[in-house]
Amino acid sequence: MLPKEYSRIVQHDMLSVFFQEKETIGFTLLPAEMEHEIPEHRKTMNGSRAAANFTRTLNLNLPAVHIEPLAQIKLAGDMPGSTANYASASRKYSTTMEHVRFDSQKISEDQVETCFSDEKGRFSFRHVLKRFHDRPYFEAFTEFTNRSGEVLCLDLLESFSLGMLSLFQKDAGNDTYRIHRFLGGWSAEGRMVSCFAEELGLEQAWAPFYGRSVRYRHCGSRPVHENFPCLVLEDTEKGVCWAVQIAALGPWQIEISRISDFLNLSGGSPDCDSGWQRSVAPGETIRSISSLLTCFKGDVEQTLQRLHAWTEDHAAPHPEAEKDFPVSYNDFCTCWGRAAEEAGLKTAKALEGSGVRYFTLDAGWFVKDGTELGNWVVNNSLYPDGGLRGFLEKIRRKGFIPGIWFEFEVASPLSCPGQHPEEFLICLNGKPYEILPRRFLDFRKKEAREWIDRKMISLLREYHIGYLKVDYNADLIGVDSPGQSAVGGLEDALDAIREYYEHIRKELPEVTIEICASGGHRLTPAWMRLGDMASFSDAHESVAIPLIAANTLRMIPARWNQVWAVLRKEDSEDREFYTLTAGMLGRLCLSGDIAELSPGQRGILDNALEFYQQTKRTICCGTHEIRRRLFNLSQNAPKGFQQVIFRSVGSEVILIHTFEDSPETIEIPTENVVKHSFLPANTLLKQLPGKLILSGIREFSGYALQLE
C-alpha cells in the first residue's frame, strides 16, 4: 500500500507524484504512460523468515514503505535521528529533520515550491522543482534561511531526494535494480560501471530500522577527477531508468540509499564527512547546487540524453562563428608546446581552404622563464617576422580565426601575482595554496580579476583573437573563506570564477570559448553552459579515443564534445581512417603532422572533412546510440568493434571503429539508403532489403556512413 498522495504534476512525458506522511513530503518520477502499471504494494515486511518470529512475538509491523523527505538538511551539533540507523554511513535522518514541519506547497507553471520550517523557529527551507514546458527534465534545488539570531552551521544541504524507486515493483525488487555510474580519470573519462544494487550492499535489511547507503562525491575544483556527478538507476524488469546529474562547478555528492522496499537517489553538496560545512548568518539565505532529474522508459543512453537538454537550454549565447559547428586545428600535438613560426605557417598553408575555421596556439606562445603562468608575456622571439601580431595576421589572411591557450586561474610562484599573495591568491590555512608550479588566483578579489583583465582580455582584444581555450591542471581541495569550511570556501571561490567567465562573455561576446581541465575533468552541465565546446580528454593519440569519445557523449551534448584527431606522417591508411572517424564523435579537432602528409594521406583528410561538413549537423544536433560488441575490458588494447549512430530528421550517421579480433563483415539493420560514405580502400558496401553489409573490414580502422 502506497502513502497518501498529496499532489501531482505532468511535464513532457513524466509524472511527478508528491506523497505525504505526517510532516514528511516526498516525491517520485515515473513515465506518465506507465502509471497504470503500478502494482498494489505490500504493506509490511512481516512475512519474511527473518522477521516473522520477531514481529509475531512483539506484535508489531515492519512497514515495507517509507517516504524519503524530498530534501534533507542537518545542523552541526544535531545527532543522528531515530528514523533509521544511518550513523556510520550517512548524515541523513538527523534530529534536525525530526523538528521540521511541512508548511505549504505552491504549484505554478514554472515550479513546485514546497516549504518547511523548524518547530523551534531556528530556520526555514524550501525545495524547488523547476518545470520547463515540454522539456524532458526537471531542475531541483533547496534554499535554506536562518531565522535565528545566531550563526547556524549546516553539515548537510541536499538539492533533491528522489524516492519511491521503483513504484513498478510490488516488493523489494530483488535482483531488479541496476545502478550505473561513470568514472573520471585522466585520459579515460566516462567509462560506465554497472552493477546490481545487491552488489553495492544496498539489498534491503530484514527490518526497516536499519538503512543502507552508498555515497559518491568529489571535493575538489575538477569535479570529474574521479567520478562524473551523475548516476542512473534502472528497473531492468520494467525497462525504466531514472537519471540524476549535479550541475557542479566543484564539490558534489550523490547518495543512493535504502529503507524498506524502495531505493532513493539524493544529492547536492558533499556532507560534513568530507569536510564540507556552510555557516549561515542570521537572516541569510543560501541556495544549494542545481541538480537535474529525469526518467524514461528506455535505456541508459536515451535517458541521459534527456539531461543534455538542460545544457542546451541554459548555455550562454554562442558566437556567430559557432553556428555551423566548424572544425578546429590546435597546434599542441604538432609542437608539444614548442611553438615555431615556420611550422605554424606550413600547417596554415596546408589547411588553407579546407573548411577548418579555428587555428589555435596551445601552451607554447608565451615566455617560459618560471613566470609564465600568471604573467602571460608573449614570446615574440618565436615569431621573428612581425612577432605574434604578425603571425596571427598571416593566419587571418589564410581564412582562419586565431585561437590561443590560457590557464588563467593559476599563477606561478615567481609571477607578479605570486609576489602579493594577500591581494591576488587563494590561501588555505593562511598560506597561498600551492601545487607546484601553480598557485591559484582568487577571483573573489578585484585585484585578481583586474589582473586577468589586463593580461588576458586585453591581449585577446588587442590581437583580435577569436577563440579562447581555457585549461586548468590542478585540483584545489579547500580554500580559506571567513566563517566557512575549506570545502565550503571552495564553492564560493568557484562561483567567483563562474562570474568571471560571464564577464569574458560580456566583454568579448564574439570569442568562442573551449573548456578544458586536464582534458575532460570539468565535463559537467555547469561548466558546459559557460563555454561553446569542451575538450573531451587528454587522450591525444590513444587507441582508446573512439571508446572515450563515445563515453563522454553520454555526459555532454555532442556539440560540446571536442575530440582530438592527431594525424602522423607515418600513419597507415587504416590508422588515418581510425583517427579521423574518432574525431567525428562530436566536434572534430585536428592536430599533428598536417603539413607533412603525403598526397594519399592528404586525400583521405580532404575526404574526411567533406564527409564531416555534410554530416556535422546530424552529429551535433541529433540523438545518438552506442552499440558495442567488445570481447575484453581494456580500452588501451580493445577487442571487438563499436558503432555510434547519430540520428536527426531525414539523416542518420554511422561511425564504426574496429579493434583487435573484429569481424571481417558487419551487418547494419536499416531500411535507409546510403547518401555519403567515408571508407578505406577495398571496403565493400552492399545494400540489401532491411540491411547494409560492410565487408573487407580490417582491424583498427574507421568507417563512416551517412544514410537518408
Side-chain angles (χ1 to χ4, degrees):
M1 177 179 290
L2 297 179
K4 174 186 174 183
E5 182 178 318
Y6 184 82
S7 62
R8 60 171 51 202
I9 60 169
V10 175
Q11 176 175 306
H12 194 58
D13 54 4
M14 295 177 290
L15 170 64
S16 178
V17 181
F18 294 82
F19 297 100
Q20 182 179 19
E21 187 175 281
K22 297 180 181 179
E23 301 297 328
T24 300
I25 301 290
F27 84 112
T28 193
L29 297 177
L30 64 150
E33 64 180 291
M34 294 182 67
E35 185 180 10
H36 68 281
E37 298 184 38
I38 298 174
E40 182 71 20
H41 201 87
R42 66 177 179 173
K43 296 180 181 179
T44 72
M45 300 163 59
N46 294 15
S48 71
R49 175 67 178 82
N53 188 61
F54 175 79
T55 56
R56 183 173 58 249
T57 301
L58 299 180
N59 191 28
L60 53 75
N61 289 319
L62 298 179
V65 176
H66 171 84
I67 297 181
E68 291 273 353
L70 48 72
Q72 294 202 42
I73 60 173
K74 180 186 179 298
L75 293 180
D78 283 2
M79 301 302 291
S82 59
T83 301
N85 182 6
Y86 268 117
S88 63
S90 176
R91 297 304 102 195
K92 296 165 71 167
Y93 290 106
S94 68
T95 54
T96 304
M97 292 301 297
E98 294 183 354
H99 298 289
V100 167
R101 297 294 175 258
F102 169 56
D103 291 333
S104 64
Q105 186 180 79
K106 180 181 179 182
I107 299 177
S108 68
E109 291 185 359
D110 299 327
Q111 63 187 33
V112 180
E113 179 184 305
T114 311
C115 298
F116 305 86
S117 60
D118 173 42
E119 65 179 11
K120 299 180 180 181
R122 297 174 294 176
F123 61 83
S124 63
F125 77 95
R126 70 181 191 121
H127 176 271
V128 177
L129 189 68
K130 294 195 71 174
R131 309 170 64 184
F132 303 89
H133 177 67
D134 202 31
R135 301 303 282 159
Y137 62 85
F138 291 95
E139 179 183 342
F141 60 88
T142 56
E143 289 185 342
F144 175 91
T145 300
N146 183 351
R147 303 292 183 187
S148 74
E150 60 185 9
V151 173
L152 296 178
C153 186
L154 284 169
D155 282 350
L156 173 68
L157 178 62
E158 288 186 332
S159 299
F160 71 95
S161 191
L162 178 63
M164 309 296 284
L165 305 176
S166 156
L167 283 177
F168 301 113
Q169 299 299 322
K170 63 183 180 180
D171 50 27
N174 297 325
D175 299 316
T176 298
Y177 302 124
R178 206 168 186 211
I179 295 159
H180 308 273
R181 63 189 177 98
F182 307 89
L183 303 182
W186 184 68
S187 293
E189 293 86 347
R191 179 193 284 267
M192 183 167 72
V193 177
S194 305
C195 62
F196 282 89
E198 290 81 0
E199 296 176 274
L200 291 176
L202 290 169
E203 189 166 11
Q204 177 193 59
W206 69 266
F209 46 72
Y210 190 88
R212 306 191 192 276
S213 175
V214 175
R215 290 171 291 183
Y216 300 105
R217 58 192 175 198
H218 185 64
C219 296
S221 53
R222 292 184 298 181
V224 183
H225 184 60
E226 296 171 318
N227 292 280
F228 281 79
C230 181
L231 190 140
V232 178
L233 171 66
E234 179 184 8
D235 182 333
T236 58
E237 182 182 295
K238 289 294 184 177
V240 179
C241 290
W242 291 264
V244 300
Q245 189 172 30
I246 312 292
L249 292 169
W252 61 271
Q253 176 172 294
I254 293 176
E255 183 168 356
I256 180 165
S257 57
R258 173 169 224 156
I259 299 176
S260 301
D261 279 352
F262 292 114
L263 288 169
N264 182 76
L265 301 177
S266 60
S269 294
D271 58 36
C272 60
D273 289 345
S274 62
W276 181 93
Q277 284 186 321
R278 294 295 304 190
S279 294
V280 188
E284 183 183 4
T285 297
I286 65 169
R287 174 174 161 166
S288 71
I289 310 170
S290 286
S291 300
L292 315 178
L293 318 173
T294 195
C295 69
F296 187 64
K297 183 175 176 58
D299 60 24
V300 173
E301 215 79 57
Q302 294 168 307
T303 306
L304 286 169
Q305 288 176 74
R306 293 161 66 89
L307 296 181
H308 292 176
W310 185 90
T311 300
E312 294 161 351
D313 293 345
H314 293 80
H318 298 290
E320 186 64 29
E322 274 292 285
K323 298 302 182 185
D324 59 348
F325 318 112
V327 179
S328 306
Y329 166 78
N330 181 297
D331 76 354
F332 188 67
C333 297
T334 303
C335 61
W336 300 108
R338 297 181 178 180
E341 182 173 45
E342 182 180 1
L345 291 177
K346 284 183 179 178
T347 301
K349 182 179 180 181
L351 289 175
E352 186 175 8
S354 66
V356 174
R357 182 167 299 161
Y358 304 124
F359 192 104
T360 300
L361 309 183
D362 210 284
W365 57 271
F366 42 82
V367 173
K368 296 184 177 181
D369 60 359
T371 71
E372 61 269 16
L373 298 179
N375 272 345
W376 306 113
V377 175
V378 173
N379 188 353
N380 281 313
S381 66
L382 298 172
Y383 311 99
D385 187 15
L388 179 62
R389 189 187 309 277
F391 177 78
L392 295 181
E393 181 55 36
K394 297 182 183 74
I395 295 299
R396 271 188 292 273
R397 286 202 297 265
K398 293 186 181 296
F400 301 107
I401 294 176
I404 205 162
W405 178 97
F406 265 92
E407 193 177 352
F408 71 77
E409 295 174 48
V410 304
S412 74
L414 298 178
S415 65
C416 186
Q419 297 172 11
H420 306 282
E422 71 285 352
E423 294 180 4
F424 288 92
L425 298 179
I426 280 174
C427 293
L428 183 62
N429 300 321
K431 297 180 180 179
Y433 196 113
E434 189 167 291
I435 303 175
L436 289 175
R438 290 167 171 83
R439 292 177 172 182
F440 301 84
L441 298 183
D442 191 341
F443 282 83
R444 295 171 295 180
K445 300 174 181 177
K446 68 174 184 178
E447 292 84 2
R449 298 191 299 270
E450 291 172 351
W451 176 265
I452 295 302
D453 278 356
R454 294 195 300 272
K455 287 294 182 177
M456 185 179 74
I457 289 183
S458 293
L459 185 146
L460 294 172
R461 186 176 284 133
E462 178 184 352
Y463 285 79
H464 305 292
I465 293 171
Y467 185 101
L468 173 63
K469 176 177 179 176
V470 183
D471 208 345
Y472 183 76
N473 290 296
D475 203 26
L476 280 167
I477 57 171
V479 172
D480 284 346
S481 188
Q484 302 295 346
S485 69
V487 179
L490 176 57
E491 289 183 323
D492 294 338
L494 288 168
D495 199 52
I497 293 167
R498 173 193 59 78
E499 291 178 350
Y500 192 78
Y501 269 87
E502 293 171 352
H503 170 68
I504 297 171
R505 285 286 195 198
K506 183 178 178 180
E507 293 293 314
L508 302 166
E510 293 306 312
V511 170
T512 299
I513 298 176
E514 175 191 340
I515 305 291
C516 181
S518 300
H521 285 199
R522 279 181 167 173
L523 298 182
T524 70
W527 282 107
M528 295 304 95
R529 65 186 297 266
L530 299 175
D532 300 295
M533 66 183 87
S535 175
F536 87 117
S537 179
D538 270 351
H540 305 109
E541 301 186 59
S542 169
V543 168
I545 285 178
L547 296 165
I548 298 170
N551 290 342
T552 55
L553 271 177
R554 294 188 177 116
M555 299 289 100
I556 62 173
R559 73 157 298 160
W560 273 266
N561 197 42
Q562 187 192 92
V563 184
W564 288 102
V566 181
L567 303 177
R568 295 298 175 201
K569 58 186 177 182
E570 63 270 17
D571 283 348
S572 66
E573 178 191 54
D574 285 327
R575 174 65 197 201
E576 191 172 1
F577 272 88
Y578 188 93
T579 297
L580 288 166
T581 307
M584 297 177 194
L585 289 164
R587 300 295 298 276
L588 177 59
C589 180
L590 300 174
S591 194
D593 303 335
I594 305 296
E596 301 178 68
L597 299 179
S598 69
Q601 291 173 319
R602 180 55 196 253
I604 294 172
L605 172 57
D606 290 341
N607 290 338
L609 291 173
E610 181 182 359
F611 180 87
Y612 187 71
Q613 295 293 349
Q614 296 290 329
T615 60
K616 61 186 179 181
R617 187 157 295 277
T618 296
I619 292 169
C620 292
C621 299
T623 61
H624 72 266
E625 176 187 356
I626 300 171
R627 297 177 182 174
R628 285 173 173 163
R629 188 180 176 192
L630 301 176
F631 309 135
N632 66 337
L633 295 176
S634 173
Q635 294 187 147
N636 293 330
K639 297 181 180 181
F641 68 95
Q642 170 183 278
Q643 297 180 54
V644 180
I645 305 171
F646 296 90
R647 298 183 178 95
S648 63
V649 177
S651 179
E652 187 172 76
V653 178
I654 303 175
L655 305 179
I656 300 172
H657 282 88
T658 58
F659 312 120
E660 186 180 349
D661 294 337
S662 64
E664 295 182 0
T665 299
I666 294 176
E667 290 191 6
I668 304 168
T670 183
E671 296 289 348
N672 296 328
V673 178
V674 175
K675 182 180 180 182
H676 295 105
S677 64
F678 175 62
L679 303 171
N682 301 318
T683 304
L684 299 179
L685 175 63
K686 183 182 294 185
Q687 182 119 31
L688 297 175
K691 62 183 176 182
L692 286 172
I693 298 178
L694 274 178
S695 57
I697 299 295
R698 299 189 292 269
E699 294 180 345
F700 293 102
S701 193
Y703 306 82
L705 300 169
Q706 183 185 25
L707 313 180
E708 65 175 1

